[in-house]
Amino acid sequence: MTFQQQIQQGIPNELPQPKPYDPNINHAPKRKQILSEEEQKLALRNALRYFEPKFHAELLPEFKEELQKYGRIYMYRFRPDYEMKARNIEEYPGKSQQAKAIQLMIQNNLDYAVAQHPHELITYGGNGAVFQNWAQYLLTMKYLSEMTDEQTLVMYSGHPLGLFPSHKDAPRVVVTNGMVIPNYSKPDDWEKFNALGVSQYGQMTAGSYMYIGPQGIVHGTTITVLNAFRKIRKEPKGGLFVTSGLGGMSGAQPKAGNIAGCITVIAEVNPKITKIRHDQKWVDEIHENLGELVERVRKAQENQEAVSLAYLGNVVDVWEKFDEENLRIDIGSDQTSLHNPWAGGYYPAGQSFEESNKMMAENPGLFKEKVQESLRRQVAAINKHTEKGTYFFDYGNAFLLEASRAGADVMAENPGLGREFKFPSYVQDIMGPMCFDYGFGPFRWVCTSGKPEDLQKTDELACTVLEKIMENSPKEIQQQMADNIQWIKGAQENNLVVGSQARILYADAEGRMKIAEAFNKAIKNGEIGPVVLGRDHHDVSGTDSPYRETSNIYDGSRFTADMAIQNVIGDSFRGATWVSIHNGGGVGWGEVINGGFGMLLDGSDDAERRLKSMLFWDVNNGISRRSWARNEGAIFAIKRAMEAEPNLKVTLPNFVDENLL
């Protein structure tokens, strides 16, 4: 069968042969056994409903073995034989160009070079899934190959509920992930619902088909690192940044450190992912001996190198060793997946990678104790460094939250509203006031032709647009504009592409709309192929997350999620090609609600109409909420937006005299 025929087939009429477990692939850790005997039967019933009864006798023992061996039913047998990668949009079967674009983006999320655990359909973060099992993937791709521009595919946590009649301006796909009732949103609830096959953790851009490899966070991390050094009034050159994690999102850190120009030391316990990042040239060197690492850092400081050094081992040992050696750390953070602390997101010190994996499945209670003990040790070492002048910030991975739950010394002496911890979130100190309040966030695009020359052309178009906008930009956003122009000019030489020909760029509503217009015109003129627009959910409007994206909201509304819900509703009727809303992003299940979109530009007048309407709302929804919280940058930004668009009228806050209060 051809690639197109395999897509159109969906779930095959005859059972494919079982597939052997490939030990060379980076696999998800075994999940703990959380289902009762009756619930295990229910999980099997749920899995078998994808298949005709004549196959049940053969599949039942196989699925039972997967459930008992891995804690989930992945349906490995149904993994496709074709190479999993983003192809040219014209290679996909279908009646709708928009549906073909979504097929492309799904396959990009599962590309072996992109996905963290590709055989388990997990893109990043240890549990950020595109689908729960391979039957869902096959059925979804089949639906997309059949869809017209007057239908909408409804996705329930990885499950394709079906194609429904709609109209050409409706989204082609509407995605929800993990939207459980709030009282059933604890970590163990996720474990149970996911094992039953009824819900999944979509992370942010995994379950919304918008992940573009670590590049997606490189730019944001570069901005964060640059501004962290600006906060301590030190040049990055020769400065030391210590952190951890080389997985899907955290793997961006060493590359960002190199672009910023500092020395980055990053610890990672997983040998496979460490080797992958080194092979991809996202990290320069791998070290396994702490003594040698210390000497290498001293040499790098002396020579003022821009270099990234991976330590294959636990970050706790790094913090403690650098303290013993009195090695000065300028800025520090952590990007282990602490939204998922008990199932592979964080590995405790004092144990091997293999020992930890065995313990988390066979003795989860003891594993939790070891993780919390390790967090207390890590914080104790970090505190010693901060007393010497290190600037430490939480990187939005729930590090401070989980450390506080472990009893670590992270609480502020005099906590205030939104300032419970002694260390700030990077959003509170950097991204919120400097970027999000002014409407700057991670706009991204994918060239569906797969041609590097198309990406280069879009880089040039974006740079030209930004330079022109900057000529008349107010002083309040000149730094943001300059940083982004510098970024896009260096994007090609930094070899950021992993998987699809994609780019990320922090831009405000004006920048996003004008860049998108330039792309659509170039497509219309035949200069480039169609382009998919999107963004990270980690943005101005898409996400309500009290300890990350909305951590610099101080009016008491940090724990509300109206903005994220309004965002996805508004995007859906303003022209998005697909929309998504998720429970649980980078900070954990039950800790955040986040929404995203995708939009295909095909050079048409319809695409131009949609991009103007949707992109304007997608940004200004969040600025409006931030201005109502009395954030000065957001008040400035929304007043500018109202001057530019007469139909925009936003309720502005009045300030109360503090003496009167």
Side-chain angles (χ1 to χ4, degrees):
M1 296 174 75
T2 65
F3 167 70
Q4 288 83 2
Q5 288 170 332
Q6 289 183 71
I7 294 289
Q8 291 168 318
Q9 172 186 233
I11 295 173
N13 295 322
E14 298 299 327
L15 289 183
Q17 290 299 307
K19 287 190 168 57
Y21 186 87
D22 187 347
N24 298 312
I25 295 295
N26 194 32
H27 287 283
K30 180 182 177 183
R31 309 300 184 187
K32 65 182 178 182
Q33 297 293 338
I34 198 167
L35 301 182
S36 67
E37 190 172 332
E38 282 304 309
E39 287 168 336
Q40 288 179 52
K41 290 179 184 176
L42 180 57
L44 290 165
R45 282 192 202 97
N46 289 346
L48 290 169
R49 61 185 160 177
Y50 286 101
F51 307 97
E52 293 180 38
K54 64 181 179 181
F55 299 130
H56 289 183
E58 185 172 348
L59 291 175
L60 180 60
E62 188 176 307
F63 289 172
K64 179 187 174 186
E65 183 184 11
E66 286 186 16
L67 184 60
Q68 293 177 340
K69 196 170 184 179
Y70 308 115
R72 298 291 186 273
I73 301 171
Y74 296 114
M75 307 181 187
Y76 289 122
R77 178 197 288 256
F78 294 93
R79 187 166 49 80
D81 293 321
Y82 51 73
E83 185 180 0
M84 192 63 70
K85 65 175 184 178
R87 293 157 169 78
N88 183 305
I89 192 170
E90 299 306 328
E91 293 183 41
Y92 291 93
K95 304 168 187 174
S96 164
Q97 192 83 335
Q98 295 180 56
K100 290 181 182 182
I102 298 168
Q103 291 178 64
L104 183 158
M105 296 300 289
I106 286 172
Q107 290 204 315
N108 187 64
N109 266 25
L110 294 171
D111 185 323
Y112 284 21
V114 174
Q116 185 180 14
H117 306 307
H119 286 191
E120 289 77 36
L121 301 119
I122 289 170
T123 301
Y124 68 92
N127 58 359
V130 188
F131 301 98
Q132 297 181 64
N133 57 59
W134 285 103
Q136 292 178 345
Y137 166 83
L138 295 174
L139 198 50
T140 299
M141 295 294 279
K142 175 181 168 63
Y143 277 137
L144 290 168
S145 75
E146 297 169 348
M147 172 189 286
T148 72
D149 283 340
E150 303 223 337
Q151 288 175 302
T152 293
L153 175 61
V154 177
M155 299 295 301
Y156 271 44
S157 278
H159 168 66
L161 192 69
L163 286 172
F164 291 81
S166 59
H167 55 85
K168 72 169 188 174
D169 281 333
R172 296 283 68 80
V173 179
V174 174
V175 179
T176 56
N177 281 301
M179 297 305 290
V180 301
I181 306 301
N183 275 356
Y184 305 92
S185 201
K186 297 183 291 297
D188 272 358
D189 293 326
W190 169 74
E191 293 280 359
K192 177 177 284 192
F193 298 142
N194 195 222
L196 286 171
V198 296
S199 193
Q200 74 172 10
Y201 198 100
Q203 262 286 351
M204 288 187 149
T205 52
S208 61
Y209 326 141
M210 191 46 70
Y211 190 63
I212 57 169
Q215 180 191 177
I217 196 175
V218 171
H219 183 28
T221 306
T222 302
I223 290 174
T224 301
V225 171
L226 281 172
N227 284 301
F229 277 106
R230 286 169 183 156
K231 281 192 75 68
I232 62 172
R233 292 177 172 79
K234 179 172 181 175
E235 286 294 316
K237 198 173 182 182
L240 177 59
F241 172 38
V242 171
T243 184
S244 60
L246 279 173
M249 297 294 274
S250 52
Q253 296 178 106
K255 173 67 85 171
N258 282 6
I259 294 170
C262 65
I263 303 157
T264 305
V265 169
I266 184 161
E268 171 58 62
V269 296
N270 185 335
K272 281 184 183 173
I273 199 64
T274 305
K275 183 178 184 303
I276 286 170
R277 294 296 175 235
H278 186 252
D279 290 346
Q280 290 173 340
K281 297 183 170 49
W282 287 71
V283 65
D284 297 323
E285 300 173 18
I286 299 174
H287 294 266
E288 297 186 42
N289 181 286
L290 275 173
E292 290 174 7
L293 178 65
V294 168
E295 291 310 307
R296 180 67 184 93
V297 171
R298 291 195 198 283
K299 181 182 174 186
Q301 287 177 321
E302 187 180 326
N303 297 332
Q304 293 196 314
E305 295 178 57
V307 66
S308 51
L309 313 171
Y311 173 63
L312 183 54
N314 202 287
V315 72
V316 178
D317 299 323
V318 174
W319 283 105
E320 290 177 344
K321 180 69 173 178
F322 284 15
D323 174 54
E324 288 171 21
E325 298 288 338
N326 207 26
L327 201 60
R328 180 178 174 84
I329 299 171
D330 296 291
I331 62 173
S333 193
D334 183 280
Q335 216 180 101
T336 49
S337 297
L338 271 159
H339 69 277
N340 181 32
W342 325 126
Y346 181 96
Y347 283 77
Q351 294 184 185
S352 72
F353 182 57
E354 292 74 18
E355 287 169 344
S356 292
N357 279 330
K358 187 178 181 188
M359 185 186 291
M360 79 173 72
E362 296 178 4
N363 194 344
L366 180 60
F367 183 75
K368 182 175 180 178
E369 286 178 25
K370 294 288 185 185
V371 165
Q372 292 191 321
E373 177 188 323
S374 191
L375 282 168
R376 290 192 291 271
R377 270 180 63 186
Q378 184 173 346
V379 169
I382 289 168
N383 283 336
K384 289 180 180 177
H385 284 279
T386 57
E387 286 166 9
K388 301 174 189 176
T390 298
Y391 172 61
F392 183 87
F393 54 92
D394 182 285
Y395 216 149
N397 62 333
F399 175 77
L400 292 179
L401 192 60
E402 285 303 332
S404 69
R405 290 167 177 168
D409 181 15
V410 293
M411 305 311 292
E413 285 184 23
N414 299 300
L417 189 62
R419 287 279 181 174
E420 299 94 331
F421 303 116
K422 65 166 68 174
F423 306 118
S425 153
Y426 76 115
V427 174
Q428 285 178 318
D429 265 21
I430 298 168
M431 301 304 286
M434 286 199 63
C435 293
F436 294 166
D437 283 355
Y438 288 100
F440 285 83
F443 181 55
R444 57 178 62 168
W445 63 87
V446 175
C447 297
T448 67
S449 67
K451 297 176 181 176
E453 56 265 36
D454 276 16
L455 184 60
Q456 185 166 352
K457 176 69 175 174
T458 59
D459 285 346
E460 291 165 1
L461 287 169
C463 188
T464 301
V465 167
L466 292 183
E467 287 178 330
K468 191 168 183 181
I469 293 174
M470 190 176 174
E471 290 174 9
N472 299 307
S473 290
K475 67 180 189 316
E476 287 85 351
I477 61 170
Q478 285 285 313
Q479 182 69 67
Q480 292 90 324
M481 296 297 297
D483 283 349
N484 281 289
I485 290 167
Q486 180 183 344
W487 162 266
I488 200 70
K489 282 182 173 177
Q492 292 280 332
E493 65 193 52
N494 285 317
N495 300 314
L496 297 161
V497 170
V498 177
S500 61
Q501 293 294 317
R503 184 68 72 229
I504 187 169
L505 173 74
Y506 269 53
D508 60 5
E510 181 186 11
R512 297 182 204 203
M513 288 189 292
K514 288 182 176 176
I515 290 169
E517 274 188 275
F519 291 172
N520 201 52
K521 186 176 179 181
I523 297 163
K524 188 174 187 175
N525 294 337
E527 298 169 43
I528 56 174
V531 172
V532 168
L533 301 182
R535 59 162 167 75
D536 195 347
H537 298 198
H538 172 63
D539 196 12
V540 181
S541 299
T543 295
D544 281 298
S545 181
Y547 295 105
R548 196 163 84 177
E549 282 78 5
T550 43
S551 61
N552 71 316
I553 300 288
Y554 301 114
D555 69 348
S557 69
R558 281 192 308 155
F559 298 94
T560 64
D562 302 75
M563 178 178 72
I565 300 297
Q566 291 282 3
N567 184 255
V568 77
I569 293 171
D571 283 357
S572 68
F573 66 75
R574 286 180 172 87
T577 304
W578 72 98
V579 292
S580 59
I581 189 78
H582 301 177
N583 166 23
V587 295
W589 181 266
E591 304 285 358
V592 52
I593 300 294
N594 62 91
F597 78 86
M599 173 178 272
L600 179 68
L601 299 182
D602 58 6
S604 66
D605 293 341
D606 272 347
E608 183 164 346
R609 171 176 56 84
R610 289 173 185 147
L611 74 86
K612 288 176 180 175
S613 175
M614 202 219 74
L615 293 175
F616 184 84
W617 156 260
D618 191 66
V619 175
N620 283 297
N621 164 49
I623 298 177
S624 302
R625 184 264 177 99
R626 292 169 185 277
S627 73
W628 186 239
R630 295 182 289 270
N631 291 19
E632 290 183 10
I635 293 171
F636 168 84
I638 204 63
K639 284 180 177 178
R640 278 190 76 217
M642 285 192 281
E643 288 170 9
E645 172 51 75
N647 285 331
L648 177 66
K649 297 184 187 300
V650 170
T651 311
L652 295 174
N654 292 295
F655 286 75
V656 181
D657 185 331
E658 290 301 311
N659 293 321
L660 183 62
L661 281 173

